[in-house]
Amino acid sequence: MRENSYTEQKCTLELDRILKTSAKVAVLLNSIRTLNKCALSRGITCRPCIGTIQESKMGYYDGTYKRRNSLTRIDMFRVVICCDHIRSLKELEDTLVHELTHAFDSLRKGNFKSVCHLIACGEVRASALGQCADVKPEKKKNLCIWRDAVNSTALHCGLERAEKTVKEVFHNCVHDEAPFK
């Protein structure tokens, strides 16, 4: 657990506040619901991630969660914020924007050369709109986006391929500001 990290209760209270006040989060949620009204049907929650497969993450978008009720199988998408890594309201909001960008992207149509290209573009966008959005100057911001995108893509594609793929998609994906523009 990081020093001064949020408890699940504090994270949940602050998350509720962000959901009510953040214009960026509101745009993402409205856009996600426009593309699929059932998206995020499992909601957005805070929970400790230490001791789980997600323990190294600030949060995650789970688009694979399936639930069977008595009549049918339903896709139940969710975003989880790992409260044991969150130390401030800004970190919480940036992480939420990052994960909601993944949720939005999962519902859009797009053509990519490979799964690694899809992942790299999603990571570039999520970092650009999330935790790197306020970094100045532009050169430092691009480095922040690059580093985060390569590290996240490498988990799925290996470091060498991640570096190559992020380089290929960076320009187009960093300028894709949907659903904001």
Side-chain angles (χ1 to χ4, degrees), residues 50-93:
I50 298 295
T52 73
I53 194 166
Q54 306 292 349
E55 76 178 308
S56 65
K57 298 182 178 178
M58 299 285 284
Y60 59 96
Y61 166 67
D62 183 357
T64 61
Y65 184 85
K66 308 281 187 209
R67 179 176 175 192
R68 184 178 294 281
N69 67 18
S70 59
L71 301 174
T72 185
R73 184 173 148 154
I74 305 169
D75 290 335
M76 309 266 295
F77 309 121
R78 66 181 175 168
V79 167
V80 176
I81 304 297
C82 296
C83 60
D84 36 18
H85 291 295
I86 302 296
R87 293 184 298 182
S88 70
L89 190 62
K90 178 163 178 24
E91 276 188 352
L92 178 59
E93 184 172 9

Side-chain angles (χ1 to χ4, degrees), residues 77-114:
F77 309 121
R78 66 181 175 168
V79 167
V80 176
I81 304 297
C82 296
C83 60
D84 36 18
H85 291 295
I86 302 296
R87 293 184 298 182
S88 70
L89 190 62
K90 178 163 178 24
E91 276 188 352
L92 178 59
E93 184 172 9
D94 288 349
T95 301
L96 181 57
V97 168
H98 181 109
E99 300 309 332
L100 289 174
T101 300
H102 286 312
F104 176 78
D105 284 353
S106 75
L107 299 169
R108 295 197 305 167
K109 303 225 182 301
N111 293 318
F112 294 92
K113 284 194 236 178
S114 71

Side-chain angles (χ1 to χ4, degrees), residues 143-155:
L143 182 60
C144 175
I145 296 165
W146 171 268
R147 184 180 53 246
D148 286 357
V150 167
N151 288 339
S152 294
T153 304
L155 295 172

